[in-house]
Amino acid sequence: MRPLIMVGAGRGSLPRIVAEAAAARGRPLSGYVEFGDNPEPPTTPLERLGDAALLDDPAFLAGVDLVVAVQGAARRPLALQLLQAQASLPPLAHPAATISTTATLGAGTVVSAGAIVQSDARIGRFCLLNTAASIDHDNSVGDFVSIAPGVHAAGYVTIEDEAFVGLGAVIINGVTVGAGATVGAGAVVTRNVPAGATVVGNPARVLPPKT
Ligand SMILES: CC(C)(COP(=O)(O)OP(=O)(O)OC[C@H]1O[C@@H](n2cnc3c(N)ncnc32)[C@H](O)[C@@H]1OP(=O)(O)O)[C@@H](O)C(=O)NCCC(=O)NCCS
């Protein structure tokens, strides 16, 4: 099996979720590639293999599985660069997550402990499904979606690219959360959320843009 290498490191939540999930699967990380202007070291001892220049080396990419732990604005361009370079980017799910055999996880997606992905749900690329989130049957989740801990999405929910769903939010069946939208912590989403909007409350209402 190819070594599993993390891109990025530090005290952010994602690198630690990645390291935990990999170790718990019995496939601990074999090293990391430093990334970013102010790179942080890993929180546990891990070999530094090099900096971002390594990601331009086809020979390196051909021999490893990568998992992108970079968060924020740099995540998307980095992921697209690695896809373009045909890097191997398998999804990574903590063994204490439950993934239906009929669900699919896209490249680079990370699933944290306790999350549940039900039948025929399709999860896109480079998503994070955080602790104990449940994504129910027939959901369609786009790319670069972040689902915070304790979210519950009922059946046939669509969550479009780059949406963020905050802690403990509930999304009723059949609703669409538009691309780039933000669902506030604890919101109860009963209607479609327009792309780019922020919604909060029960029932969730659009928060006016800040002036
Ligand atoms: C929705 C959210 C993104 C809004 O952030 P923001 O744009 O900085 O908004 P503000 O804090 O300025 O709040 C604006 C108004 O919305 C209210 N509000 C903010 N978040 C709310 C929420 N989750 N539920 C209900 N009301 C909320 C505020 O009380 C404030 O109301 P007011 O104008 O009457 O005082 C943010 O509050 C939130 O819920 N983030 C999710 C955090 C999370 O889940 N993190 C996961 C970590 S893994």
Side-chain angles (χ1 to χ4, degrees):
M1 196 181 287
R2 294 137 72 99
L4 181 62
I5 306 299
M6 180 163 72
V7 183
R11 291 203 57 78
S13 58
L14 187 53
R16 289 183 283 169
I17 289 170
V18 164
E20 293 264 351
R25 289 202 78 86
R27 193 187 177 195
L29 296 169
S30 299
Y32 76 104
V33 176
E34 200 171 75
F35 191 87
D37 293 335
N38 298 300
E40 291 180 51
T43 55
T44 50
L46 190 60
E47 185 183 359
R48 178 189 179 281
L49 302 175
D51 63 17
L54 207 47
L55 304 175
D56 296 322
D57 178 356
F60 172 73
L61 295 182
V64 296
D65 286 341
L66 294 179
V67 55
V68 176
V70 174
Q71 291 167 289
R75 180 168 175 77
R76 183 184 158 89
L78 171 61
L80 296 179
Q81 173 197 328
L82 293 171
L83 286 172
Q84 175 78 18
Q86 299 189 317
S88 173
L89 296 151
L92 175 65
H94 193 288
T98 304
I99 315 288
S100 162
T101 54
T102 59
T104 56
L105 303 178
T109 281
V110 174
V111 183
S112 195
I116 301 176
V117 182
Q118 286 288 18
S119 332
D120 297 303
R122 298 184 308 283
I123 314 295
R125 299 174 300 179
F126 301 98
C127 296
L128 171 60
L129 307 187
N130 219 317
T131 316
S134 66
I135 301 293
D136 225 293
H137 65 92
D138 299 290
N139 270 225
S140 174
V141 175
D143 296 338
F144 301 104
V145 169
S146 185
I147 305 285
V151 167
H152 296 303
Y156 294 105
V157 163
T158 298
I159 305 176
E160 294 180 344
D161 293 353
E162 299 189 62
F164 171 84
V165 184
L167 281 166
V170 169
I171 308 174
I172 71 161
N173 47 300
V175 160
T176 294
V177 175
T182 297
V183 175
V188 177
V189 180
T190 58
R191 294 182 185 169
N192 293 348
V193 177
T198 296
V199 297
V200 298
N202 177 7
R205 304 277 188 222
V206 175
L207 207 55
K210 287 185 178 167
T211 48

